[in-house]
Amino acid sequence: MKPKVFFLPGKDKSELLERLPLLLGRLIDKGFATNAFCGVKVHVGEEGNVTFVPAEFARAGVHFLKQKGARPFLFETNTLYYGQRSNTLDHLRLAAEHGFGSENVGAPLLIADGIRGEASARIPLKGKHVREAQIASLVPNIPCIVGFSHFKGHMLTGFGATIKNFSMGCAARNGKLQIHSLSKPWIDVERCTSCGECQIRCPSDAIEIKGGDFVIVHAKCTGCAGCIGVCTAKAVRIKWNEASKSASQKMAEYALAALSGKEAFYVNFLVNITKDCDCLGKKMEPIHEDVGILASRDPVAVDQACLDMVEEEIGSAHPEVDPAVQLAHGERIGLGKRDYELEEL
Ligand code: SF4
Ligand code: SF4
């Protein structure tokens, strides 16, 4: 049987907000046990970005889940790159500035991978690339998940939405490094202040002083990414050298690991559709008019349906990247199905 994808068309934010409960009601046609924990996966947008999914939608989702009897909370993970979301304190401050504070949304935001992205849980996997996924430690303990994902272009994978939100967005820092890079981190001596913090924190004794400089000995380094988080000088660098195809396939495998054993519902917002993702800390112009909101219980089907609606623009935004790779691999490994039945509301 084809998975159902519900489509709420609309270009006006107020109208979409008003009709969101209708969509969620079709998607989540059940009540929850009283006060059952339910995590809503969001992305609060990097500092300077203005095209992330507005917090009003998270607030409406929280309100809906409370009416269904659940005890909702928002969750997110810290970033691999240095920015305003690479540690929990700055991340929460920025989230509040972007409207994701509990007083506005009606539920707290939890950062799921520790204060610097160091808290990971190992999930074994028989993937083509991933044998052990490093998922944010909170994620395996969340019994029910609702994904609020922004559909937009992405320079590495063509587009990002639900699969990206539950792979990169649910990986701890070492998991993000595994997806993004084929190599171990290195230290930029021009930036390094020789504070020694990374050497103290390295669990593999892989950081040594050679010729007066701190260096990472790659033969010893396990790629845990701990040194990236502790370096306040931003001197531990990453080669963003993973090829598009394998990164896309790794993302599908990570999503499978993050979602295993969970009850999950996926909502994709086709609003503010930009060429690049919400991790870019700058103002971007949309490349496509707003389409509406799509929702499904199948993470592959909901992303495929979105791509089908805007593929021409997304495809031309990053012509060197095949956006279907993550979908094809997702279907191959049992994450979901690409063939779906669309129901317009
Ligand atoms: S933590 Fe950063 S600044 Fe300190 S020694 Fe390591 S690389 Fe250099
Ligand atoms: S990535 Fe982990 S193992 Fe490698 S140098 Fe950094 S802290 Fe050490």
Side-chain angles (χ1 to χ4, degrees), residues 166-286:
F166 285 100
S167 52
M168 200 67 75
C170 283
R173 175 167 268 135
N174 48 355
K176 291 182 172 83
L177 182 64
Q178 189 184 15
I179 297 171
H180 263 305
S181 180
L182 290 165
S183 53
K184 311 284 170 60
W186 56 282
I187 292 174
D188 181 348
V189 294
E190 299 296 322
R191 287 174 178 254
C192 176
T193 60
S194 301
C195 71
E197 195 62 30
C198 57
Q199 194 178 41
I200 295 166
R201 299 294 183 94
C202 176
S204 311
D205 290 330
I207 301 179
E208 299 178 0
I209 302 172
K210 291 187 175 173
D213 294 327
F214 282 80
V215 293
I216 294 174
V217 179
H218 285 177
K220 293 186 184 176
C221 172
T222 59
C224 77
C227 51
I228 301 168
V230 298
C231 181
T232 53
K234 303 179 181 176
V236 184
R237 315 302 289 180
I238 299 149
K239 283 196 176 120
W240 305 89
N241 59 352
E242 182 57 283
S244 169
K245 185 177 177 188
S246 49
S248 298
Q249 292 180 338
K250 282 184 191 175
M251 283 200 339
E253 293 178 11
Y254 256 78
L256 186 68
L259 292 165
S260 69
K262 294 190 187 307
E263 182 174 39
F265 308 91
Y266 311 101
V267 185
N268 279 1
F269 293 81
L270 279 87
V271 299
N272 301 334
I273 303 166
T274 48
K275 176 183 174 186
D276 290 309
C277 73
D278 303 338
C279 294
L280 263 63
K282 64 178 185 181
K283 190 169 182 288
M284 291 180 282
E285 294 302 323

Side-chain angles (χ1 to χ4, degrees), residues 43 51-55 57-58 100 148-151 269 271-272 278:
H43 186 310
T51 39
F52 54 89
V53 176
F57 288 108
F100 290 87
F148 270 26
S149 307
H150 186 201
F151 185 91
F269 293 81
V271 299
N272 301 334
D278 303 338

Side-chain angles (χ1 to χ4, degrees), residues 47-64:
E47 187 156 55
N49 186 285
V50 296
T51 39
F52 54 89
V53 176
E56 288 96 319
F57 288 108
R59 181 169 59 204
V62 161
H63 181 69
F64 173 87

